[in-house]
Amino acid sequence: QVQLVESGGGSVQAGGSLRLSCTASGYTYNVYCIAWFRQAPGKEREGVAFRAPDGSTTYTDSVRSRFILSKDNNARNTLLLQMNSLKPEETAMYYCARGRARFGYCTILQTEYSDWGQGTQVTVSD
């Protein structure tokens, strides 16, 4: 049974940093896409960062150069999302999700992700 567990959320002031973790059980990362999505109150869920089976990463434009998705070398099947220079508008519930790659690439469509964690709250204050 596939399980995704997020951790690392919390409260931070604008300009600060947080690091989120996504730990998977029941399968290995290197055959699926793993993505981070976020959903702010009253807004649609949006994709933030994506890791393809070959380890390549992509980001939505608004977080590129500030967020870094990487594999945790100290923990099996754990991905890290380092978030720097956080903004108040990035306050949201952050979710880790698993989906199939298409031709080696990860889609931004949340409907293509079949397994989701329960989320971790990130709050950025002014």
Side-chain angles (χ1 to χ4, degrees), residues 6 36-40 42-48 92-97 108-111 113 115-119:
E6 305 97 333
W36 282 95
F37 287 79
R38 65 187 178 191
Q39 187 167 22
K43 295 188 177 180
E44 291 187 359
R45 191 173 296 184
E46 64 168 344
V48 174
M93 186 70 79
Y94 284 70
Y95 298 91
C96 177
I108 64 172
L109 299 175
Q110 57 176 308
T111 52
Y113 293 82
D115 300 287
W116 294 78
Q118 292 188 327

Side-chain angles (χ1 to χ4, degrees), residues 91-103:
T91 293
M93 186 70 79
Y94 284 70
Y95 298 91
C96 177
R98 182 190 82 150
R100 290 191 176 275
R102 292 184 179 273
F103 305 105

Side-chain angles (χ1 to χ4, degrees), residues 27-109:
Y27 82 105
T28 55
Y29 276 123
N30 60 359
V31 293
Y32 288 91
C33 287
I34 295 294
W36 282 95
F37 287 79
R38 65 187 178 191
Q39 187 167 22
K43 295 188 177 180
E44 291 187 359
R45 191 173 296 184
E46 64 168 344
V48 174
F50 306 84
R51 184 182 187 274
D54 66 357
S56 61
T57 54
T58 55
Y59 304 89
T60 191
D61 287 346
S62 63
V63 308
R64 192 172 294 122
S65 80
R66 296 187 297 117
F67 287 17
I68 302 170
L69 186 58
S70 63
K71 187 176 180 181
D72 188 344
N73 293 321
N74 297 318
R76 191 167 179 265
N77 279 357
T78 297
L79 288 183
L80 305 174
L81 181 66
Q82 178 68 39
M83 306 187 297
N84 301 318
S85 302
L86 282 161
K87 305 173 182 179
E89 56 265 37
E90 295 179 311
T91 293
M93 186 70 79
Y94 284 70
Y95 298 91
C96 177
R98 182 190 82 150
R100 290 191 176 275
R102 292 184 179 273
F103 305 105
Y105 294 97
C106 300
T107 177
I108 64 172
L109 299 175

